[in-house]
Amino acid sequence: MFQLIDTALAFAAVMLLLSLLITVVVQLLVSTFGLRGRYLVWAITQLLQRVSPAFATEAGLPKTKVQEADAKAKEKAKQLLSDPLLAPTFNVLTWVLDGVLKRRGRKVGSQRPPTEIKVKDLAQLLGYHDVDVGAAIPAVAPNASKKRILDPDAVDAIEKRIAGWFDTVMAAAGARLKLRTRWITIVGASILAFGFQVDSLAVLDNLSDEQIRLKVIEQIDDINAFYQAQTASEGQDAAGKETVENARKAVDDVLKEINETQAFELHRIESWRDVELTRGKLMTVLLLSLGAPFWYGVLGKLVGFRSAVKPKQEQGGNGNPNP
């Protein structure tokens, strides 16, 4: 039984390693394409359409009118989030990709949308940019609407008006981003399984060798450290060069750990015509699609279970009765 636990533990560790490899690539793509910022723009757009009379749409409006209102709200959301007090530093990778795709409205040196915003900061921005959110704004000096940003009561009034929708649209944006990253993860799992011939059944067969199995188990602490490091960096969109360098180093570290496990080897196929659909590779895609957090949780539970079973196993081997 103890051998089965060790095999399951080693297999979970290998799956976590492979999932970390995919996670690094996913984080790089999310950062490069600024997906968090894009979904934040979507969230603020939805909020504006629900709290501001200037961007609201009514049932029965022609499709063209609805599209115009959507575009107007999105443009205002981009304006709010491009405020110099919020926008992070310029990302070289995003600019290069935008140039390749010939996106309009982007300039060299332009700033990206932030990846997050607090409801208080949004309320201040709405007040500063004079966006009508239907709030009961305290009276201010005539022709001095821009100065109401200095009035705490005005900011509080705007914040109360948008607070009801803020958490809802942010949660919806987070769910959409999570779904997008899940699809990227599935694509990455498919490329890893079929493009580099990772067969889960072959991995299990290799782990039947005690030396390989124990070698993987000895690396669990390092694997956990890699996972925690990647989790800590998630959500941080660094500058382009730094993002690539960090991703390259993380990939190199994970590949080094994979080679040291000796549980399997990555073999890149020469042509996609050579791909073979095997049960083991399909199983790899399914298992890796569960994501690194899943395998990290499984690994932790197996480590705890192994620690509880091992003393009993040793007592039984010494001829002592199990409690």
Side-chain angles (χ1 to χ4, degrees):
M1 178 179 177
F2 197 66
Q3 180 179 345
L4 290 176
I5 296 174
D6 275 0
T7 302
L9 184 63
F11 184 77
V14 170
M15 288 296 107
L16 179 57
L17 264 178
L18 291 172
S19 296
L20 282 173
L21 194 60
I22 297 173
T23 298
V24 172
V25 176
V26 170
Q27 290 182 0
L28 178 61
L29 291 175
V30 169
S31 178
T32 300
F33 288 97
L35 293 185
R36 290 186 181 86
R38 294 174 190 269
Y39 280 107
L40 183 59
V41 170
W42 178 87
I44 302 304
T45 300
Q46 299 301 313
L47 186 143
L48 288 175
Q49 290 180 316
R50 285 160 175 77
V51 301
S52 176
F55 307 105
T57 57
E58 300 177 358
L61 282 178
K63 185 177 180 179
T64 55
K65 294 292 184 180
V66 174
Q67 291 175 341
E68 289 177 4
D70 290 343
K72 186 178 179 182
K74 185 176 182 179
E75 188 62 31
K76 176 58 70 173
K78 288 182 177 179
Q79 179 186 355
L80 293 172
L81 294 175
S82 64
D83 191 285
L85 296 179
L86 287 181
T89 56
F90 170 68
N91 188 303
V92 177
L93 287 177
T94 301
W95 175 75
V96 171
L97 286 173
D98 288 343
V100 172
L101 299 175
K102 297 182 179 180
R103 290 183 179 274
R104 296 182 179 180
R106 295 293 188 99
K107 298 180 181 180
V108 176
S110 62
Q111 292 178 311
R112 307 173 65 193
T115 57
E116 61 182 4
I117 189 173
K118 297 179 181 179
V119 63
K120 190 78 172 182
D121 296 336
L122 180 58
Q124 290 178 329
L125 285 173
L126 289 170
Y128 180 78
H129 289 274
D130 198 18
V131 178
D132 180 15
V133 294
I137 306 299
V140 294
N143 301 321
S145 61
K146 297 292 184 183
K147 294 183 179 180
R148 67 185 183 189
I149 190 64
L150 303 177
D151 187 346
D153 293 335
V155 176
D156 289 342
I158 298 174
E159 183 178 350
K160 290 178 181 178
R161 179 73 177 94
I162 67 175
W165 281 106
F166 185 83
D167 290 340
T168 301
V169 297
M170 291 302 168
R176 284 172 171 255
L177 176 60
K178 186 176 181 180
L179 181 61
R180 175 67 65 86
T181 56
R182 176 57 60 87
W183 279 111
I184 298 175
T185 299
I186 293 174
V187 172
S190 301
I191 293 175
L192 196 58
F194 297 108
F196 291 88
Q197 305 184 63
V198 180
D199 190 309
S200 294
L201 295 179
V203 172
L204 278 173
D205 185 57
N206 291 338
L207 291 175
S208 62
D209 185 304
E210 184 177 4
Q211 291 184 350
I212 295 178
R213 185 169 62 248
L214 293 178
K215 193 174 185 64
V216 174
I217 293 175
E218 289 174 357
Q219 296 176 249
I220 287 179
D221 289 340
D222 291 338
I223 296 172
N224 285 335
F226 278 132
Y227 174 81
Q228 293 170 5
Q230 290 304 312
T231 302
S233 65
E234 188 174 1
Q236 300 176 4
D237 283 346
K241 185 177 180 180
E242 183 181 352
T243 302
V244 173
E245 182 61 26
N246 290 341
R248 185 194 63 78
K249 184 179 183 301
V251 169
D252 288 344
D253 290 340
V254 174
L255 289 177
K256 179 182 177 182
E257 291 294 321
I258 288 176
N259 290 332
E260 290 183 358
T261 63
Q262 299 179 358
F264 66 98
E265 294 181 3
L266 296 175
H267 296 287
R268 187 176 63 182
I269 60 173
E270 296 181 359
S271 172
W272 284 101
R273 296 178 180 178
D274 301 331
V275 171
E276 296 181 5
L277 297 178
T278 64
R279 288 181 299 173
K281 293 175 183 177
L282 290 173
M283 184 184 299
T284 299
V285 175
L286 177 62
L287 295 177
L288 293 182
S289 298
L290 296 174
F294 172 83
W295 288 110
Y296 181 74
V298 170
L299 190 62
K301 292 179 181 178
L302 287 173
V303 168
F305 185 60
R306 182 177 187 265
S307 300
V309 172
K310 188 173 182 179
K312 298 180 181 181
Q313 184 79 7
E314 292 175 349
Q315 289 178 4
N318 293 330
N320 298 327
N322 293 330

